[in-house]
Amino acid sequence: MDYSASQLNELISFLDGLPEPRIVMDADYRIVAANKAYRREYAGSGSGGVASILGRRCYEVSHHFTVPCDQAGESCPLKLSQEEGASRRVLHLHHTPRGEEHVDVETTPVRDQEGRIVYFVETLRMVQQASSRPAAQGLVGRSPAFQQMLEKVLRVAPAQATVLLLGETGTGKELVAQAVHEASGRRDSPFVAVDCTGLTENLFESELFGHEKGAFTGAAFRKLGLVESASGGTLFLDEIGELPPALQVKLLRLLETGTYRRVGGVDTLRADFRLVAATHRDLKEMVRQERFRRDLYYRLNTFPIHTPSLAERREDIPLLAASLLERVDHRPGRHFSAEALAWLAGRNWEGNIRELRNLIERATLMSDGEEISAAKLAEVADDGGESRALAEGVGGGADDSFRVPGPLPLAQLEQRYLTWLMARPGADVRTLAPALGVSERTLYRKLQR
């Protein structure tokens, strides 16, 4: 029995009552309907409103691709749902009236009375915790490594599972922890961060658990601990690998019993927080060396998330640079030259985002004009002249060097640069991707755009 027009209208009527944008597609990727929320969010994305998308394929509308997502290096939730006969969820970059945005996409099959799949309903949930464009706050990125991290954040955030953030120093672990908090059901309660570096036993207990009046010399009043301050919210323990063994025992007891006592107190209090921990240390190796408790490690390692270094997400550097410039410098119209962005993307960043931010802030203080050049960045870099040599090589004056007429939006700059690269003799995706520090999938996707 075919799915009748009346049944389709009934489905659309049901979807109109739901808050998230949803579209209905057939097995050939064609959009056959859109609910009110989709029309409200996306009707302005093209002339003719929602009518302009009906009959078009979803990948044309969402990605501006000419082929399905899975043929352009992306995971296609419709294809996966079709193959498995069940709902599938992926994180994508979608074109919206505001530009490209991170969207959590879930595709669900719709069956007729005989159990055959006749349509697919795609639900689109905009990700508020990260931006694919320069932003004054929060997480910023669009590389595959960044998207893999963000997808894990969105998966674990609604749960109560303990999250362990693992990555090099300066990769933005506290911002990731805040994203977990903001995407969770605890978002309206406090986010409390604790730096575990250098904590002594007495200071750890007093800071974490609080103390009663008179508990020790100088305790003139009762103090609430950070565990109590984080009640109902998220407790973020940064650099957990720095905790000495004696404090690891106290933390383990808190996590195992869910209770604690203030220093000098007798009442047992119940803790109510979601734990996110972070470290740049190799905790597995520390466990093998008996420098970190095995039982605590497995308490913390419920849901590990790797925070990628800049070397793993090199293509995000121009985007991050523009965002950091906006955050550290409030001078209107200040921007990087094309050569400066190329210089930043080609440099090694041992300190990751923290080092990048510091260098940009120094450059803003030392620059008088509206444009920050590669030479100025090299001048303020503290690396023994290596950066100055690199800056001299950017755009090096050769006849075939990459040039632009002036400041351009990042997306347009990237488009021009890739076009110039692909026009060079012997250029192909397989050889260019490693040189650019991106995967072949990512480069193919950018070229398709």
Side-chain angles (χ1 to χ4, degrees):
M1 174 180 176
D2 291 334
Y3 210 70
S4 66
S6 62
Q7 288 174 308
L8 178 58
N9 289 334
E10 188 176 330
L11 172 63
I12 297 169
S13 178
F14 169 74
L15 296 179
D16 276 341
L18 300 178
E20 302 98 342
R22 285 173 162 88
I23 57 175
V24 182
M25 304 170 293
D26 62 20
D28 196 32
Y29 304 93
R30 292 189 184 279
I31 301 172
V32 299
N35 73 345
K36 288 181 179 178
Y38 185 95
R39 296 196 293 272
R40 186 169 55 249
E41 289 288 339
Y42 299 105
S45 60
S47 59
V50 75
S52 66
I53 71 166
L54 298 181
R56 295 177 62 194
R57 291 182 168 86
C58 58
Y59 52 81
E60 297 172 352
V61 174
S62 298
H63 298 286
H64 297 181
F65 286 165
T66 57
V67 294
C69 300
D70 58 297
Q71 296 178 33
E74 297 277 6
S75 294
C76 176
L78 189 150
K79 184 175 179 63
L80 293 171
S81 181
Q82 193 172 25
E83 291 174 348
E84 300 175 13
S87 296
R88 286 302 305 262
R89 178 181 164 193
V90 300
L91 182 69
H92 273 181
L93 276 170
H94 274 199
H95 286 275
T96 75
R98 296 164 295 278
E100 273 194 310
E101 294 182 338
H102 294 288
V103 179
D104 193 356
V105 183
E106 184 173 12
T107 301
T108 302
V110 177
R111 301 177 185 273
D112 62 16
Q113 293 179 350
E114 297 180 5
R116 296 175 300 187
I117 297 175
V118 288
Y119 291 114
F120 297 86
V121 173
E122 185 170 274
T123 304
L124 299 94
R125 301 180 180 94
M126 286 179 291
V127 178
Q128 306 293 334
Q129 293 74 36
S131 174
S132 64
R133 303 186 302 278
Q137 59 184 3
L139 295 172
V140 174
R142 52 185 298 128
S143 65
F146 178 85
Q147 292 230 89
Q148 288 169 13
M149 178 194 73
L150 182 59
E151 185 167 13
K152 288 186 176 181
V153 166
L154 298 175
R155 290 277 185 170
V156 74
Q160 297 301 315
T162 297
V163 177
L164 180 60
L165 304 177
L166 302 167
E168 295 178 11
T169 297
T171 52
K173 291 187 281 292
E174 184 166 349
L175 281 180
V176 177
Q178 288 176 333
V180 172
H181 172 71
E182 291 167 6
S184 74
R186 295 174 176 263
R187 67 180 68 87
D188 296 325
S189 297
F191 173 86
V192 177
V194 183
D195 186 353
C196 297
T197 306
L199 284 179
T200 64
E201 186 169 352
N202 290 338
L203 182 60
F204 179 83
E205 286 194 283
S206 178
E207 286 294 307
L208 213 59
F209 305 141
H211 61 250
E212 297 289 353
K213 180 180 179 181
F216 49 83
T217 302
F221 51 87
R222 170 189 282 180
K223 174 186 175 182
L224 298 184
L226 296 176
V227 167
E228 200 165 350
S229 299
S231 182
T234 300
L235 181 66
F236 173 54
L237 298 182
D238 197 11
E239 295 302 348
I240 194 74
E242 307 302 317
L243 273 186
L247 302 188
Q248 294 175 27
V249 174
K250 297 180 183 297
L251 177 59
L252 179 63
R253 177 172 176 77
L254 169 67
L255 299 180
E256 285 186 334
T257 66
T259 61
Y260 64 99
R261 286 199 297 264
R262 298 190 191 102
V263 176
V266 295
D267 295 332
T268 299
L269 306 175
R270 182 157 294 279
D272 175 22
F273 62 86
R274 199 267 185 81
L275 179 65
V276 180
T279 182
H280 72 281
R281 301 283 187 186
D282 184 346
L283 291 187
K284 280 188 177 181
E285 182 60 28
M286 291 179 70
V287 169
R288 282 193 288 269
Q289 296 175 0
E290 298 185 351
R291 293 164 51 210
F292 199 87
R293 292 184 63 97
R294 185 179 301 272
D295 44 8
L296 177 58
Y297 171 71
Y298 285 111
R299 274 279 176 186
L300 297 173
N301 198 40
T302 305
F303 196 90
I305 298 178
H306 172 65
T307 58
S309 66
L310 285 187
E312 296 172 273
R313 48 183 299 211
R314 191 171 294 277
E315 64 204 89
D316 281 339
I317 291 176
L319 175 61
L320 286 166
S323 299
L324 292 171
L325 180 62
E326 186 176 351
R327 299 179 195 192
V328 304
D329 182 46
H330 302 291
R331 180 170 176 168
R334 187 83 75 116
H335 61 270
F336 293 106
S337 69
E339 290 80 10
L341 290 174
W343 182 89
L344 289 170
R347 190 176 185 271
N348 292 323
W349 300 96
E350 293 182 3
N352 292 295
I353 298 172
R354 187 177 295 126
E355 182 186 1
L356 176 63
R357 181 190 178 106
N358 290 344
L359 180 60
I360 289 173
E361 189 161 12
R362 289 200 298 273
T364 63
L365 295 173
M366 297 301 295
S367 296
D368 296 322
E370 292 188 351
E371 183 174 270
I372 299 176
S373 66
K376 180 59 68 176
L377 290 169
E379 179 185 317
V380 299
D382 183 20
D383 59 6
E386 178 184 341
S387 292
R388 194 178 300 272
L390 177 61
E392 291 170 357
V394 173
D399 292 338
D400 65 344
S401 61
F402 173 63
R403 301 178 185 278
V404 291
L408 294 172
L410 287 177
Q412 191 175 346
L413 177 65
E414 179 183 76
Q415 187 180 53
R416 287 193 180 210
Y417 183 61
L418 290 178
T419 301
W420 174 77
L421 279 177
M422 291 302 294
R424 294 168 66 84
D428 62 73
V429 170
R430 182 170 298 177
T431 56
L432 280 179
L436 293 172
V438 301
S439 66
E440 291 182 28
R441 184 187 80 171
T442 298
L443 183 54
Y444 178 81
R445 187 176 71 235
K446 290 178 180 294
L447 293 171
Q448 282 290 314
R449 291 200 185 105

